[in-house]
Amino acid sequence: MAKTPNEAQPFADAEPVAANGLLHRRLFLSGGAFFAGASALSGVLGARPASAQMATVPDWRKEPGKSFTPYGVPSRFEEPVQRLVTVRAPSYPSPGAGSSRTPLHLLEGIITPSGLHFERSHSGVPDIDPDRHRLLIHGLVRQPLVFDLESLMRYPRVSAIHFIECAGNSGGGWAAQPPVGFVATMHGLLSCSEWTGVPLHYLLEEAGIDPKAKWILAEGIDAAAMSRSVPLDKCLGDAMVALFQNGERIRPEQGYPMRLLLPGWEGNMNVKWLHRIKVTEGPTHTKDETSKYTELMPDGKSMQFTFPMEVKSVITRPSEGINMQGPGFYEISGFAWSGNGKIKRVDVSADGGASWAEAALQEPIASRALTRFRLPWQWDGREVILQSRATDETGAVQPTRAELIGSKGIKNAYHYNGITTWEVRASGLVKNVWA
Amino acid sequence: MFGRKVLLGGMTATALVAASTALAVDPPKLGQPAPEMLIRLFDISIPPDGTGLPPGQATAKQGEAVFIARCAACHGEKGEGATNDRLASGVGTLQDEIQTFKTVGSYWPYATTLFDYVRRAMPYNAPLSLTDEEVYAATAYVLFLNRIIGETDVINAQSLPAVKMPNRDAFINAYAPR
């Protein structure tokens, strides 16, 4: 029953399932329609007339290409695909305390290339010699132990795809005015990798856990010796000492030679350059779990130890700076994720939340991993308000910004998971707005 | 040869939790006993009860010189903030409509965190360069700037955990173990 796509306007005759041209998610699957649509799409979007140049054989067809290289890098034409780094004056005294952001708007699928994984450090990236690195486990244990890398490499390993999201990601959402810039400006402290390492419980059990123990302190050996307290039950569950990221050893910016991986929990807790674990009775109340990464509520109280990152989604195409190229067919696409499990569904609205169409979820849909969603859209060229709303397998639904602020106020600074709203203007410009 | 269950357990982290109790063979035990010296060198974390605080003591009066020389460039002479965090004042601003200042004095629940953090990470440009006496001194000075202690109060392993921070009771532990 595949429809014959109109060449210039694929799906022009498809029935919308929600206002302003949102189409059924399964249209993508209906036979050849999608591919026909995709090729017609280049006709609409590319808008480059066939020129005389296209009718000549390009140079690279006429001579052999470059020979083999030991480590490949992206095409030189992809140079703009870079992390967003804040430019500081050379005199700025603490350039290593801060972050760089993943260019979410320029990526596809769910895996973040390792060199584009967001960075957050409190005193720069250390240059660690793996032969001199040790992991110390002590405190409330039967036998304090020290592990070198060579011995850790001999344990059984696990691999899993997980996002890491800074607890301060999307923090611009708490501000009175919406941040201006690419989607990464507000949401780019978010990345997703395949992590491989040793389950932490093997090492803790080897040291022998005292029955009084309820927490650990995990510490890095960077110049900030960044440290966080983690409940023991997480450490005995899915926590791992990660050694590999996307098949190769973890990048220096991500904790080389090892980091703690706590699937779904605040990025800051996934302690990089991990060198010490102290098993304790209670939390240590470090700077980064008191002064920072605590949620100040409207009543003046602060919620401490709010570990999982809540259900959330954002449309990356279109998004601010990824503008429209005239009326016609588009694929709306973005990321959804939850620190509490798998994404169950994502709904998209093109009328500011009055009507919703369910988006298609791209496999794989993994627990505590980014999930890619897609929805076909026939844009008629008029101003629309685009939103996405994620629901996870626990039934938690991403709140609107108004709902979030209604319960948490505006001074929270962390864990912002409100719905993102893109205003698509008739001119094709896309702007971040508060709905 | 590894037992089959070990390899099965390796498939996913969650599967592994379930499988871990039923491992056909135990994972290897390759950790070396940690020498006491190593633990002493690296065990620098200080919980609210003050366990592990080193000997030494200082007053805010002694701390002023340390602070001006080693901290003020980034945090301001009176801890009012410069290129980096404001460390003082802001009490009563947590619910302010216009501006909130979360500082050591207005926000931090425990004074032990200040000693722990300054000793592990400050000054930013030269961590581990202060003596324990100097860390006590800088700690005392920041507490004094926040009017939490007097200029001549002695801060040491006994008195520091006893300092009652103004915002101590405002923190709620939100973690519910599953």
Side-chain angles (χ1 to χ4, degrees), chain B residues 20-31:
Chain B
S20 66
T21 47
L23 286 180
V25 294
D26 285 337
K29 297 197 185 323
L30 302 173

Side-chain angles (χ1 to χ4, degrees), chain A residues 146 206 219 225 285 294 302 304, chain B residues 31-32 100 107 113 120 170 172 174:
Chain A
V146 61
E206 185 175 333
E219 184 181 87
H285 294 277
T294 48
S302 286
Q304 195 182 14
Chain B
Q32 297 295 312
T100 291
Y107 197 63
T113 306
R120 74 172 55 240
I172 298 164

Side-chain angles (χ1 to χ4, degrees), chain A residues 11 21 100 118 144 160 197 225 249 260-261 282 331 378 408 413:
Chain A
F11 309 134
S100 72
F118 83 88
R249 296 295 299 280
L260 185 60
L261 195 83
E331 178 185 88
Q378 191 68 44
K408 290 191 168 185

Side-chain angles (χ1 to χ4, degrees), chain A residues 165 170 183 187 190 310-316 334-338 343 345-348 356 370-371 373 387-391 397-399 416-422:
Chain A
E165 182 182 23
S170 320
V183 61
H187 304 287
L190 168 73
E310 296 84 354
V311 64
K312 189 157 147 188
S313 69
V314 63
I315 295 170
T316 55
F335 296 110
W337 65 102
S338 166
I343 288 298
R345 69 183 272 166
V346 176
D347 295 289
V348 172
W356 297 88
L370 293 188
T371 297
F373 65 88
Q387 297 178 319
S388 64
R389 182 183 65 195
T391 304
V397 181
Q398 185 180 7
Y416 182 92
N417 73 325
I419 286 174
T420 293
T421 304
W422 301 119

Side-chain angles (χ1 to χ4, degrees), chain A residues 92-97 122-124 136 138 143-147 151 154-159 199 201-202 206 215 217 219 221 223-225 227 231 233 236-238 265 275-276 278 283-287 290-292 294-296 298-308 340 411-412 414, chain B residues 2 6 9-14 16-17 20 23 27-35 38-39 42-48 51 73-74 83-85 93-100 102 107-110 112-113 116-117 120-122 124-125 127 167 169-178:
Chain A
Y92 189 72
S94 50
H122 296 259
S123 197
L136 171 65
H138 73 115
Q143 171 64 62
L145 293 175
V146 61
F147 296 86
S151 37
R154 289 174 54 195
Y155 283 74
R157 299 176 190 169
V158 290
S159 292
H201 72 87
Y202 285 170
E206 185 175 333
W215 292 71
L217 178 81
E219 184 181 87
I221 197 157
S227 60
D233 59 330
L236 297 179
D238 58 2
W265 285 18
H275 89 120
R276 183 168 77 98
K278 183 174 188 177
T284 300
H285 294 277
T286 68
K287 184 268 267 182
T290 52
S291 172
K292 304 293 192 282
T294 48
E295 300 189 52
L296 177 54
D299 63 0
K301 301 276 189 214
S302 286
M303 303 304 284
Q304 195 182 14
F305 307 129
T306 52
F307 299 137
N340 288 311
K411 295 185 184 293
N412 187 299
Y414 302 103
Chain B
F2 285 125
V6 171
M11 279 166 51
T12 69
T14 20
L16 189 122
V17 177
S20 66
L23 286 180
K29 297 197 185 323
L30 302 173
Q32 297 295 312
L38 190 78
I39 299 173
F42 287 119
D43 186 8
I44 55 168
S45 43
I46 308 295
T51 302
C74 299
T83 49
N84 297 106
D85 301 61
T93 66
L94 296 184
Q95 289 174 275
D96 194 281
E97 302 249 308
I98 319 268
Q99 213 162 18
T100 291
K102 288 154 80 178
Y107 197 63
W108 291 32
Y110 300 105
T112 46
T113 306
D116 170 297
Y117 182 66
R120 74 172 55 240
M122 290 292 133
Y124 178 89
N125 48 324
N167 199 41
D169 298 329
F171 285 81
I172 298 164
N173 182 345
Y175 183 66
R178 271 147 246 260

